[in-house]
Amino acid sequence: MVDGTPRGYDDSTLTLEVGPVGDRPWLLEVGGPSGTQLVTLSSGDSVVLGSSRQADLTVTDRAMSARHARVSASNDGLEVVDLGSKNGLFVGAARVRRAAVGGAATAFVIGRTSVVARPEDRADTIEERLDLPGMVGESTSMCALARQIHRLAPLSRPVLIQGETGTGKDLIALALHQLSGRKGRYVPLNVGGVPEALADAALFGQCRGAFTGAVVSRPGSFEEADAGTLFLDEIADLPVGVQVKLLRVVEDGLVRRLGSSDPIRVDTRVVSASWASLEERVDEEKFRQDLLHRISTFVIAVPPLRRRKSDIPALSVELLRRMEPEIGPKRLTSPSLACLVAHHWPGNVRELGSVLYRAAVVAEGVTIEPRHVDLPARNRVGSKRTSVSPAQARELLEDNGGNISAAARAARVPRTTFRAWLERTAG
C-alpha cells in the first residue's frame, strides 16, 4: 500500500477512444466461473456488480468483493469504477480505478469474472441457454449457436460448419448427432488426412480384390454411419476427383464400393467442416461449386474465442479441472485472468488449453500468476508494418477494447499510423 492505494494501481482514468454510442443501450455479458448473466443498461442506468446481495447483480465468484465495481451508462458510453475492491478492476491486463468506454465493445475483469460490454444490437435477444453436449459457454454468441444447433439437429439435410481452427467444430458435429435422435453411429473422418489413393475406399468401401492390398471386403464411412451421422472434417482438402463421387452419394444416397457396380442405399446425414473459405476454393478451382451447394444446405458459423470473451472464465475453470488428475488443482488470479481476456486467441479454445496447461505446469503452487502465463506474441495483422484493410483496423480496435495504443501495439505500428488507418476508414 502507498498512501492507501494498492500497488499496481493506475490511479488515472483509462479512456478507451471510440466514438459515442448515442442512444443505443449497452449489453453486459458478465461471465463468471460458473456461467454468464446478461444485463442491459440504457443511458442514465447503472449497476453494481458484486458477490453479495448488497450488489445490484450478484455474481458467484469468491474472488469478487461484496460490492466490487459500478458500471454506469450515458450517451457518451460507459464508466466503470472500482469500489475499493480487494482484487481490483483490470482493463487490457492493466489494473485501474476507473475506465471510460466509448462506443465499441470492450472487456474488463473483476475478480475471476470477465465482463464484455458492447452497444446492444437490435438482433440481440436475452433467452434461456440451451445445453450443448460437451461445450462450455453462455455468451450471447454461444446461446445463439446453441439455438441454431437445436433447430438443425432433428433434420436430415447436410450441414456445413465453418470456423477458425481450434473453435470446436468437431464438438458441434457431435452435438448435432447426439441431439438428432438418429439411431445409427457417429462416424468422424478427417478427409484432409486421407491419402488420395485411399480416399475412395475410406468413404465408399471396397470389395476384395478391388486393388492391390484389398484382401477383404470392407464398408466405407458412409455405410458405417448408415442411419447416423458422417462428419467430414477439413473437407476443403478433399481431392477433386473424389468430390465428384461424394456429390453423387449426397444427392442420391447410393454408395458403390470400389470393385463393385451394385449400389447400396444408405440413410447417412453428412456434416462437413472447414476452416478455409470454400467459396475461395471454388474460385481457385480446387472445390466443386455444385458440391458446395449440396453440403451447405445449412451453414453454422462458429464464433472465435475473441468474440466470446465472457466465456473465458468458465472455459478456464473447466480446462483446469480436466488437467487436475495429472497436474493437481490450479486456479487463476484476477491479473492472470486479465491477461487471458486481453489476448487475441488466434488458436481459439485449443490455444487457451495449451496456454493453461503450460501455466499450470510452471506454477509450483495452486495459484497461477501472470508470470506463469506464457502468451505468444502473435497478431492478426502480421509482423510487417504494412497497411491493413478497413475491416481489420476496426476489428483490431474492437478486440483491444477501443484502446488505440493497445491496438497499435498489437499491429506493431506507431500510434500515429494506426490513427491514420482509422481516419482513412472513417472517410
Side-chain angles (χ1 to χ4, degrees):
M1 303 284 287
V2 179
D3 296 329
T5 301
R7 293 184 183 277
Y9 253 116
D10 181 349
D11 198 35
S12 61
T13 298
L14 176 64
T15 302
L16 306 183
E17 305 172 59
V18 181
V21 67
D23 59 356
R24 277 197 298 166
W26 284 83
L27 180 66
L28 304 184
E29 298 185 16
V30 184
S34 59
T36 299
Q37 300 180 71
L38 304 179
V39 180
T40 299
L41 294 181
S42 298
S43 180
D45 292 344
S46 66
V47 61
V48 174
L49 309 177
S51 60
S52 75
R53 294 182 179 178
Q54 301 173 20
D56 299 321
L57 182 70
T58 303
V59 183
T60 304
D61 180 352
R62 294 182 180 179
M64 189 177 292
S65 297
R67 288 169 55 86
H68 198 111
R70 178 186 292 110
V71 184
S72 304
S74 70
N75 285 340
D76 295 325
L78 286 184
E79 182 185 54
V80 188
V81 180
D82 184 359
L83 300 178
S85 66
K86 177 181 178 182
N87 290 313
L89 163 66
F90 292 83
V91 180
R95 185 172 182 175
V96 298
R97 279 191 170 177
R98 179 180 285 104
V101 182
T106 190
F108 57 90
V109 169
I110 51 178
R112 285 193 284 273
T113 294
S114 171
V115 182
V116 174
R118 59 182 172 83
E120 189 175 46
D121 190 274
R122 291 181 179 179
D124 288 328
T125 55
I126 300 178
E127 300 181 19
E128 181 182 0
R129 182 188 183 276
L130 301 172
D131 286 336
L132 284 181
M135 303 193 73
V136 175
E138 298 180 0
S139 61
T140 53
S141 57
M142 286 300 290
C143 288
L145 177 65
R147 291 194 297 272
Q148 184 182 19
I149 290 173
H150 275 264
R151 287 197 304 271
L152 300 183
L155 307 179
S156 59
R157 292 295 184 91
V159 175
L160 174 63
I161 305 172
Q162 292 187 313
E164 297 176 7
T165 180
T167 50
K169 297 185 290 294
D170 55 336
L171 295 178
I172 292 173
L174 181 58
L176 281 168
H177 175 72
Q178 292 176 334
L179 296 170
S180 69
R182 298 179 72 85
K183 304 301 182 182
R185 292 175 53 195
Y186 171 77
V187 179
L189 178 64
N190 187 332
V191 294
V194 178
E196 183 171 1
L198 301 179
D200 275 349
L203 283 168
F204 313 121
Q206 66 186 45
C207 291
R208 180 180 178 182
F211 54 88
T212 303
V215 295
V216 294
S217 296
R218 287 180 179 170
S221 297
F222 267 96
E223 287 183 71
E224 292 177 341
D226 187 24
T229 303
L230 174 59
F231 175 48
L232 301 178
D233 199 7
E234 304 299 349
I235 195 168
D237 297 326
L238 186 68
V240 176
V242 184
Q243 292 177 26
V244 181
K245 300 175 183 178
L246 175 60
L247 172 63
R248 185 170 63 245
V249 175
V250 175
E251 285 182 333
D252 61 21
L254 296 176
V255 173
R256 293 169 178 81
R257 292 184 181 184
L258 281 180
S260 172
S261 59
D262 296 329
I264 301 172
R265 181 165 295 281
V266 293
D267 175 23
T268 302
R269 188 188 196 180
V270 176
V271 177
S272 309
S274 174
W275 64 268
S277 169
L278 293 182
E279 290 81 2
E280 291 181 4
R281 294 294 175 94
V282 169
D283 292 339
E284 296 168 356
E285 299 184 352
K286 295 180 179 178
F287 201 86
R288 294 181 61 94
Q289 189 172 52
D290 49 4
L291 177 59
L292 173 59
H293 292 161
R294 292 300 299 174
I295 65 173
S296 60
T297 304
F298 300 105
V299 178
I300 295 177
V302 189
L305 184 56
R306 63 181 175 276
R307 296 298 185 199
R308 44 178 292 227
K309 288 191 172 182
S310 61
D311 291 330
I312 289 179
L315 280 167
S316 299
V317 168
E318 174 61 19
L319 291 169
L320 290 172
R321 184 193 65 79
R322 295 177 186 178
M323 301 171 194
E324 191 170 326
E326 180 182 4
I327 301 175
K330 302 286 180 177
R331 62 179 178 83
L332 294 164
T333 63
S334 296
S336 56
L337 176 61
C339 292
L340 300 180
V341 171
H343 188 53
H344 180 65
W345 298 113
N348 295 290
V349 179
R350 184 179 297 128
E351 182 187 3
L352 175 63
S354 298
V355 168
L356 287 173
Y357 186 87
R358 290 195 301 269
V361 171
V362 172
E364 296 181 356
V366 173
T367 304
I368 296 176
E369 302 287 352
R371 66 179 183 275
H372 303 136
V373 179
D374 179 22
L375 293 171
R378 287 184 284 180
N379 60 79
R380 154 191 338 97
V381 176
S383 58
K384 295 182 180 180
R385 295 186 175 185
T386 56
S387 181
V388 302
S389 69
Q392 284 179 317
R394 289 192 298 269
E395 185 179 354
L396 191 59
L397 183 64
E398 184 176 330
D399 290 341
N400 285 273
N403 188 324
I404 290 179
S405 297
R409 286 194 297 271
R412 300 182 185 179
V413 296
R415 194 170 183 270
T416 53
T417 300
F418 197 87
R419 272 191 175 281
W421 291 347
L422 289 178
E423 290 171 1
R424 183 193 66 199
T425 61

